[in-house]
Amino acid sequence: MLFRRSQMATWRVRGALAVRAAGLTAALLVSAASGVWARGPETTNRSLPAVRVEQPPRIDGVLDDPCWKLLPQATGFTDEMLGTLVADQTTAWIGYDDTFIYVAFHCKDSEPRRIVAEETRRGVRARGDDRVRFRLNPFNSRRGDDESELHVNARGTQSTEIAGGRAAKLEWEGEWQAAGRIVEDGWVAEMAIPWRIFTRPAGEGRPLTMGINFERYQARTDTRSYWSNLGPQQRRELGGEWTGVVPPPREREDLLSILAYGYGGYHQGGAMGRFGLDARYQFTPQMAGVATWKPDFSNVEGDVTSIDFSYAERLPDERRPFFLEGGGFYNLDLGRNEPFASVRVPEFDLGGKVFGRVGADTNVGVLAAYGFHGRKDGVATVAHRFSPRESVGLQWVGRMEQAAENHLLVANAGARRGDWRVGFSYGRSLDTAGNGEAGEAEVNWGAKTFFGGASFQWTSRAFRARNGFVPFQNQRGVSAYFGNDVDWRTGFFAASSWTVSAHRSERYGGAFFQDGVHANLFLRTRSRITMSVNSSAGRFEHHRDRVTSVSLGYPALDRNQHFGISHGWGRQAGRSYRRWGPHANWRFADRLAIAASSEIVELHGRRQQDLLSIAYDLARDTTVGGRLVRRDGSTNWYMSLRRSGYGGTEYFVIVGDPNARTFTQRAVVKVIFPL
């Protein structure tokens, strides 16, 4: 049996405490949040007719162009949490021609002097700034993974999230234009977005209905408002529609984009040099491909992972352009396991990928990488949607090399009805060292500001995903969680969230593996102080663990000026545990940015990691800076001069190796130029 009587007593005590705490908190929050987000038909599922623009607007942040007077207006923005009209209203306009989609916002503000507009770097999400977001789903599938988002803050700084993933190459992302301006009664934003950015349905020349939405964030009141309100659970089926759109023919678009690079320098006294190519081709409005020959990642600054204790491995985030472009087409869920983690693939010599949509409801992605040393890596994914609420997916991940060969086959399915969602995933690995399996069956619930769920997961002893991530093998068990996440419009607190969860698993032979309960609480005050408390207790094999951590930060939602500290204590892996983690970010005069952090962990001895990053913007596209990392007595640093992020010719001058353990005598000059 998965649960034995001798172990149930401890479980009941911990479960009773967790349920009692959750019940008390839920009762308080339900009573306070009763009636939250009472949506009505006038605030959701709204629509606008598509109107062609004969005379394009000038994107300058001034709404004096004749076309804006001829386009339909999106009005009546409502509070995301309450579903009621906000005090400071927004008006949006949308139109199009054969090259661009044109969008404008007029954001009224009764206190324009308090509008926040600090971020100036393109591609950086302007957290804490007044900003607007335009959402477009060309397939009107009512699913978030088909939806692209374009953000502009009150000073016109842009950031983009393209459906399926897109690398930070402006030639590939699309050079869309934006402008923002603070005016007497609020602020204004304008956008001109090329059609070529988006994957879209086939069938040129016929009218289509596309999914759209307009959103505004007001920093002063910490309020999000929507034209077609999705509610706290972000239900895409409540979004708006843009009817009668006739997309342009493909011959008006640039289908091929080639970026060449070359670099030279020295590495520890020896000369080095390399030349390579990256190419992107748009086969159809729905399908694109990327090819790379001798890709170079020397200018990529990798993530520095935490040194805090963990029973499982940690993987850094992916930052390499080849894998980011269309990366969303290669993700398939397998519970806690990750079938494909691109950071597992080292540098290679030749690679290619094709991704996009076949028909109206099927996404596909195929990737292959080949190294002249003999290693081959591949991924193939197919995901089909029967409706906005039901989908299935299949995936193959392969890694072939002399030492070992690994193939992973994955299938999953999911469906949602109302507030409930069920999902199932199964994976089978075929490996030189033996075959294995893993999977998960789950049920999740979410309504208004509350959410919860339960799952059963299993991973056999021989299951291997050599190009993926498997936290633990030879275990199976259950887990459950319940929580609440709410923004408050009045009172001392501006936002709060809490979650209570529990888990238990055993080895395949019946031996105990791990169990535990975990609770966390997050609070943000009206004065922008944040506090979080996390507490967990449980067992991992023969160890009994209990850890509590507290963190404080100020000011919230400001990435440019922020200070924080965290402290944790308890027992881990049979030893006393302590952790301290101060950090600070500060930006001076919109040009100089300094970030510093330290992480000190006392467990089986003392470990320390210190980071210091400095960047100075010489121009909007040119930065000089560097990073220093000191970990357990080893120090690495590098310095760089970069011109990048806005298309055209880019160059990098780098002294040192950003991802080495210690400082490396290395200097590289690299140039990227479009062909």
Side-chain angles (χ1 to χ4, degrees):
M1 291 179 62
L2 184 60
F3 296 101
R4 289 174 167 77
R5 292 183 180 179
S6 60
Q7 299 163 333
M8 284 299 291
T10 302
W11 175 262
R12 289 193 186 101
V13 171
R14 291 175 177 165
L17 292 174
V19 171
R20 186 173 299 176
L24 177 59
T25 310
L28 293 173
L29 289 174
V30 168
S31 62
S34 59
V36 166
W37 196 64
R39 69 178 178 89
E42 72 283 355
T43 65
T44 63
N45 300 124
R46 309 177 78 176
S47 66
L48 287 176
V51 176
R52 294 186 67 89
V53 173
E54 301 299 331
Q55 183 179 350
R58 182 178 179 181
I59 306 302
D60 56 5
V62 180
L63 299 180
D64 58 357
D65 304 280
C67 70
W68 300 126
K69 299 178 182 179
L70 304 176
L71 296 177
Q73 297 182 359
T75 59
F77 279 56
T78 55
D79 188 308
E80 176 189 51
M81 297 299 299
L82 304 177
T84 57
L85 292 172
V86 292
D88 289 325
Q89 273 295 309
T90 304
T91 302
W93 297 262
I94 184 171
Y96 75 105
D97 58 21
D98 283 344
T99 306
F100 293 97
I101 299 172
Y102 303 100
V103 178
F105 290 82
H106 187 180
C107 305
K108 297 290 186 67
D109 199 310
S110 57
E111 300 183 53
R113 292 184 179 180
R114 296 179 62 187
I115 292 173
V116 181
E118 296 182 352
E119 188 57 66
T120 60
R121 292 167 293 176
R122 184 185 178 114
V124 177
R125 179 71 69 85
R127 293 182 69 247
D129 282 9
D130 281 82
R131 62 187 183 272
V132 292
R133 172 165 58 178
F134 169 61
R135 300 186 179 192
L136 178 70
N137 183 336
F139 299 91
N140 198 28
S141 64
R142 306 290 180 159
R143 297 179 63 96
D145 50 6
D146 289 330
E147 190 174 78
S148 296
E149 302 179 355
L150 299 102
H151 308 248
V152 179
N153 74 353
R155 67 190 303 166
T157 303
Q158 305 157 249
S159 65
T160 314
E161 295 180 21
I162 302 298
R166 193 64 60 86
K169 294 175 177 285
L170 201 59
E171 287 81 3
W172 293 2
E173 178 188 279
E175 194 167 359
W176 64 286
Q177 308 165 42
R181 185 189 300 265
I182 297 176
V183 296
E184 290 185 357
D185 62 347
W187 64 281
V188 169
E190 289 182 298
M191 309 178 192
I193 311 159
W195 278 105
R196 66 180 295 269
I197 290 179
F198 306 109
T199 300
R200 60 181 190 268
E204 298 165 355
R206 61 184 179 88
L208 302 174
T209 296
M210 298 185 176
I212 60 168
N213 216 336
F214 308 97
E215 177 191 350
R216 174 189 177 185
Y217 175 75
Q218 187 177 50
R220 172 171 55 83
T221 60
D222 192 21
T223 301
R224 288 178 177 83
S225 58
Y226 281 91
W227 166 64
S228 194
N229 203 326
L230 306 180
Q233 296 291 332
Q234 290 290 289
R235 296 287 172 77
R236 295 310 199 281
E237 67 267 23
L238 303 178
E241 291 185 333
W242 193 26
T243 61
V245 188
V246 181
R250 291 184 67 230
E251 57 265 21
R252 295 179 180 268
E253 302 177 1
D254 295 326
L255 305 179
L256 177 64
S257 174
I258 301 177
L259 295 171
Y261 80 86
Y263 76 79
Y266 75 91
H267 182 211
Q268 295 183 341
M272 58 185 299
R274 186 166 175 149
F275 176 82
L277 293 171
D278 291 319
R280 186 184 193 278
Y281 187 78
Q282 192 73 37
F283 296 104
T284 71
Q286 297 177 280
M287 191 72 65
V290 174
T292 184
W293 175 62
K294 292 187 176 298
D296 171 59
F297 307 133
S298 63
N299 63 300
V300 177
E301 178 185 270
D303 277 348
V304 179
T305 57
S306 170
I307 63 170
D308 197 11
F309 176 80
S310 173
Y311 285 112
E313 179 189 13
R314 287 192 179 95
L315 290 183
D317 291 336
E318 180 62 82
R319 296 189 178 187
R320 297 173 291 178
F322 174 78
F323 292 107
L324 294 178
E325 185 71 16
F329 289 92
Y330 303 91
N331 297 329
L332 209 65
D333 181 61
L334 186 56
R336 296 177 182 175
N337 302 304
E338 191 174 344
F340 177 62
S342 59
V343 293
R344 296 287 196 199
V345 182
E347 292 193 18
F348 53 89
D349 298 290
L350 188 65
K353 60 197 303 186
V354 177
F355 53 90
R357 178 163 292 200
V358 177
D361 301 304
T362 304
N363 284 354
V364 298
V366 179
L367 179 152
Y370 176 75
F372 293 156
H373 54 281
R375 173 168 167 166
K376 298 181 285 293
D377 300 274
V379 184
T381 307
V382 179
H384 180 77
R385 301 169 180 83
F386 298 101
S387 76
R389 299 175 180 83
E390 295 90 19
S391 64
V392 297
L394 298 172
Q395 184 175 60
W396 164 80
V397 182
R399 173 170 159 179
M400 292 74 73
E401 53 189 340
Q402 290 183 348
E405 184 169 337
N406 177 261
H407 298 273
L408 180 61
L409 304 175
V410 180
N412 69 12
R416 182 166 65 83
R417 290 290 183 274
D419 296 333
W420 293 87
R421 182 189 180 278
V422 295
F424 178 82
S425 58
Y426 177 80
R428 181 77 176 174
S429 67
L430 311 174
D431 192 89
T432 305
N435 304 334
E437 64 175 12
E440 179 184 52
E442 62 174 336
V443 57
N444 298 284
W445 168 85
K448 295 184 179 179
T449 61
F450 290 90
F451 52 87
S455 65
F456 173 66
Q457 309 104 14
W458 68 96
T459 303
S460 70
R461 184 191 304 271
F463 182 78
R464 288 177 175 83
R466 296 184 185 268
N467 272 355
F469 175 65
V470 181
F472 300 108
Q473 297 169 298
N474 186 25
Q475 58 86 27
R476 55 190 175 190
V478 295
S479 62
Y481 68 95
F482 182 72
N484 173 270
D485 189 353
V486 64
D487 293 339
W488 304 91
R489 295 296 175 247
T490 59
F492 180 75
F493 293 108
S496 68
S497 65
W498 58 265
T499 306
V500 176
S501 62
H503 67 275
R504 179 182 173 83
S505 58
E506 66 175 17
R507 298 298 190 183
Y508 265 55
F512 171 80
F513 177 45
Q514 64 173 327
D515 68 6
V517 293
H518 180 85
N520 67 71
L521 172 67
F522 171 82
L523 297 170
R524 186 173 78 245
T525 70
R526 198 69 59 189
S527 55
R528 299 201 296 172
I529 298 173
T530 61
M531 180 185 72
S532 64
V533 180
N534 294 271
S535 184
S536 61
R539 294 173 296 166
F540 187 92
E541 296 182 329
H542 60 279
H543 296 302
R544 289 186 176 273
D545 298 334
R546 62 180 188 280
V547 175
T548 300
S549 63
V550 178
S551 63
L552 296 171
Y554 176 83
L557 307 175
D558 191 338
R559 60 176 291 125
N560 295 318
Q561 287 84 32
H562 189 268
F563 304 91
I565 187 169
S566 61
H567 176 50
W569 65 93
R571 292 188 65 82
Q572 285 264 279
R575 299 291 184 91
S576 177
Y577 166 84
R578 291 287 187 275
R579 178 187 178 275
W580 295 266
H583 69 270
N585 301 326
W586 195 265
R587 195 171 187 191
F588 303 89
D590 291 339
R591 286 185 177 270
L592 177 62
I594 299 176
S597 66
S598 183
E599 187 177 17
I600 303 169
V601 177
E602 293 183 356
L603 180 73
H604 301 283
R606 179 186 175 99
R607 300 189 64 195
Q608 183 167 348
Q609 176 173 275
D610 305 307
L611 279 75
L612 175 66
S613 298
I614 300 176
Y616 184 81
D617 295 334
L618 301 174
R620 70 168 190 164
D621 59 356
T622 307
T623 302
V624 61
R627 182 177 72 183
L628 182 147
V629 181
R630 181 175 176 82
R631 176 183 292 187
D632 299 333
S634 299
T635 302
N636 182 42
W637 62 270
Y638 81 93
M639 296 182 64
S640 68
L641 172 66
R642 305 170 181 238
R643 181 197 181 277
S644 62
Y646 285 84
T649 301
E650 300 183 344
Y651 60 79
F652 303 82
V653 180
I654 303 175
V655 176
D657 185 344
N659 303 305
R661 178 82 176 181
T662 60
F663 175 73
T664 303
Q665 293 184 359
R666 175 179 178 272
V668 174
V669 177
K670 176 178 175 180
V671 179
I672 302 174
F673 48 94
L675 300 178

